[in-house]
């Protein structure tokens, strides 16, 4: 899911999604609300992996990759993305979206309520207000992030960013 409404976070994640798409032509970019994305996925015959991309704020020093509780596949994909991302940023957290991350669980829940094989991960790519993360949001940094996410998805078929 990519919200391309024009804010700084939107511009960053839209740019990143396009970069991932160039590396992984099987990735479909959905610029829509979660409800519209869920409706679209309900109509897809093939299993899908949803990758929600976000920037964070609040001065943190990490990237975050989460999966929905009970999803073994989500956990595997999140672990692969986090491992690849650790080459880009020193501190990458990989967690199940549980009580520590309730907003993340709310973001991912709609994809698990769909029929068929669906899974999703959420990637908080860094903190837009952390000066040490500024390089992540520049051209080379976004390319590095895109390569890491594409590498993490490499063992799975079509994805939706």
């Amino acid at each position: 899911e990519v919200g391309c409404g024009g804010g700084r976070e939107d511009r960053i994640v839209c740019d990143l999604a396009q970069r991932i798409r160039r590396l992984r032509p099987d990735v479909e970019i959905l610029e829509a609300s979660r409800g519209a994305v869920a409706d679209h996925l309900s109509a897809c015959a093939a299993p899908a992996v949803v990758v929600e991309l976000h920037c964070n704020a609040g001065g943190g020093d990490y990237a975050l990759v989460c999966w929905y509780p009970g999803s073994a596949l989500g956990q595997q994909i999140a672990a692969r993305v986090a491992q690849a991302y650790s080459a880009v940023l020193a501190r990458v957290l990989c967690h199940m979206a549980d009580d520590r991350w309730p907003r993340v669980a709310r973001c991912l829940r709609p994809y698990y309520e769909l029929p068929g094989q669906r899974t999703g991960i959420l990637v908080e790519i860094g903190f837009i207000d952390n000066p040490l993360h500024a390089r992540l949001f520049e051209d080379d940094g976004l390319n590095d992030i895109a390569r890491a996410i594409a590498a993490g998805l490499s063992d799975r078929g079509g994805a939706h960013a």
Side-chain angles (χ1 to χ4, degrees):
E1 173 204 0
V2 178
C4 294
R8 182 169 183 222
E9 177 183 3
D10 290 345
R11 287 190 306 272
I12 291 168
V13 298
C14 286
D15 186 4
L16 178 58
Q18 293 294 337
R19 292 166 193 253
I20 294 168
R21 175 81 167 93
R22 284 193 292 272
L23 296 168
R24 292 285 311 263
D26 60 329
V27 169
E28 180 179 0
I29 299 170
L30 303 173
E31 299 177 14
S33 68
R34 277 185 197 93
V37 170
D39 289 345
H40 173 80
L41 293 175
S42 292
C44 292
V49 176
V50 176
V51 180
E52 283 216 16
L53 301 171
H54 295 266
C55 297
N56 213 334
D61 66 346
Y62 58 88
L64 174 66
V65 184
C66 286
W67 71 93
Y68 195 72
S71 174
L73 179 58
Q75 182 177 6
Q76 293 168 11
I77 294 168
R80 287 195 308 263
V81 169
Q83 181 179 13
Y85 203 168
S86 66
V88 177
L89 189 64
R91 189 164 179 227
V92 179
L93 307 179
C94 187
H95 288 282
M96 178 174 60
D98 56 14
D99 292 341
R100 291 174 291 179
W101 315 101
R103 291 177 60 205
V104 173
R106 282 192 304 274
C107 288
L108 293 174
R109 184 176 300 117
Y111 309 123
Y112 288 90
E113 294 172 347
L114 296 170
Q117 294 180 317
R118 305 285 188 244
T119 193
I121 64 169
L122 183 139
V123 182
E124 293 273 2
I125 63 173
F127 284 77
I128 59 175
D129 58 350
N130 181 336
L132 298 175
H133 287 191
R135 67 172 180 77
L136 295 174
F137 308 115
E138 296 171 0
D139 199 48
D140 288 344
L142 289 170
N143 284 334
D144 291 342
I145 296 168
R147 282 191 291 272
I149 292 172
L153 295 172
S154 64
D155 292 337
R156 184 71 180 157
H160 299 271

